Amino acid sequence: MTYLIADDLPSQTAGRRFRSLLDRPGILRLPGAHNGQAALQAKAAGFDGLYLSGAAMTASMGLPDLGIITVDEVCFFIRQIARASSLPLLVDGDTGYGEALNVMHMVRSFEEAGAGAVHLEDQFLPKKCGHLNDKRLVAPQDMAAKVAAAAKASRDLVVIARTDAAASEGIEGAVARAKLYVEAGADAIFPEALTSVEMFRKMRAALPAVKLLANMTEFGRTPALTAQEFAELGYDMVIWPVSSLRVANRAQERLYTALARDGATTAMLDQMQTRKELYDTIRLNDFEALDQSIVASVVPESV
């Protein structure tokens, strides 16, 4: 019913539950959820796992995605999403917030906060969105050392190695890096910013026994494909990292424009989540029922 009741909590760790999802037939669909409310709505839509994007997280804080937030700030988002939804969560770990010991601290912190999986990328700090230009990559061996550190720190957390090498080293360079990262202990590979279906095919053919993640971000370099199309290409996971935030931001922009223009929100009422819908989503009455001192709230009738 809620995360406050021990009997309602999952009996397995988030990492084990994420691994179970990954072992099921078909592609694992992981929509981005940038906060607890988005997580609840994604769960209600029928998704079994979620993704927490660094780009969505930082943008929701009014910051660019340059790797400038901290492990503790990310854990705040992990905890609220895990508590709200109880779904296994893949978290964007950027570059690991430093070198080997920092990566190990990140893994332990994320796992304790409730994450089921994390991905690390092979860029230098300040890192950039994978679909932007002139990304600077660390040496493959240095990234492999981070992957090995992450695997050593993990109890159940799934470790996914992201490579941004396709843009500067071609698909051959990305494949070579991916193989090294798997040898270092990565559970799966995330080849970022592939620009054609053929590149996705080549990556799959080169890593026949490796779990692969596809990124279906809007307004990027990757062609628009459906989850089914990625499944047919042999991919095991697909994320839509910033979609929820993009939609929410556009809606908020329209609200503030209307409010500044009209001095009222009347023009936006038909686009709003109602009070009842909000309370139903966050299960207000279920929480109230746990405390007999709280009188059950009644939604006021519209006037």
Side-chain angles (χ1 to χ4, degrees), residues 21-292:
L21 291 179
L22 197 49
D23 288 339
R24 294 191 319 194
I27 191 166
L28 176 56
R29 302 176 302 159
L30 300 167
H34 61 284
N35 59 26
Q37 175 73 197
L40 286 171
Q41 291 175 312
K43 182 177 183 178
F47 289 98
D48 296 320
L50 300 171
Y51 175 63
L52 177 57
S53 157
M57 207 180 341
T58 52
S60 74
M61 299 165 69
L63 295 170
D65 183 24
L66 296 172
I68 57 178
I69 58 175
T70 67
V71 168
D72 287 344
E73 287 174 310
V74 179
C75 285
F76 171 80
F77 285 87
I78 295 172
R79 280 190 291 270
Q80 67 172 281
I81 292 170
R83 285 173 179 172
S85 71
S86 75
L87 294 180
L89 177 67
L90 166 60
V91 180
D92 183 350
D94 285 342
T95 63
Y97 308 94
E99 299 307 317
L101 291 178
N102 307 91
V103 169
M104 296 176 82
H105 171 65
M106 177 200 70
V107 166
R108 294 291 343 115
S109 298
F110 283 12
E111 194 162 26
E112 289 166 3
V118 65
H119 69 70
L120 299 168
E121 62 198 61
D122 52 7
Q123 291 190 51
F124 279 110
L125 280 173
K127 53 88 61 182
K128 299 179 73 170
C129 167
H131 291 254
L132 297 180
N133 58 300
D134 298 327
K135 294 172 290 183
R136 300 178 305 125
L137 304 188
V138 302
Q141 294 77 12
D142 291 341
M143 174 63 175
K146 288 187 178 184
V147 171
K152 187 171 185 178
S154 168
R155 287 179 176 171
D156 297 313
L157 197 75
V158 175
V159 176
I160 300 172
R162 168 177 144 178
T163 180
D164 288 72
S168 58
E169 300 176 6
I171 196 68
E172 294 80 10
V175 166
R177 283 175 175 265
K179 290 180 177 178
L180 183 62
Y181 303 161
V182 170
E183 291 174 4
D187 296 300
I189 293 294
F190 173 5
E192 174 63 312
L194 302 188
T195 58
S196 69
V197 170
E198 186 57 30
M199 292 181 80
F200 281 99
R201 287 198 183 102
K202 287 182 178 179
M203 182 64 70
R204 176 74 282 171
L207 302 166
V210 177
K211 300 288 188 182
L212 294 179
L213 182 149
N215 179 10
M216 192 57 264
T217 188
E218 302 86 11
F219 315 112
R221 298 179 182 273
T222 298
L225 299 174
T226 66
Q228 182 58 38
E229 287 171 324
F230 281 120
E232 291 168 358
L233 288 167
Y235 281 68
D236 304 280
M237 297 169 275
V238 57
I239 57 174
W240 296 268
V242 193
S243 309
S244 65
L245 183 76
R246 295 190 203 281
V247 171
N249 281 354
R250 179 64 78 196
Q252 288 175 168
E253 180 183 48
R254 290 172 178 159
L255 166 67
Y256 294 131
T257 299
L259 185 55
R261 180 190 66 230
D262 304 334
T265 62
T266 308
M268 296 293 296
L269 287 178
D270 64 347
Q271 299 179 50
M272 289 186 184
Q273 184 185 47
T274 68
R275 183 185 295 267
K276 182 180 186 305
E277 289 167 341
L278 171 60
Y279 289 171
D280 287 347
T281 300
I282 61 177
R283 306 182 75 164
L284 171 64
N285 291 143
D286 288 343
F287 278 87
E288 288 179 331
L290 294 176
D291 190 332
Q292 296 301 313

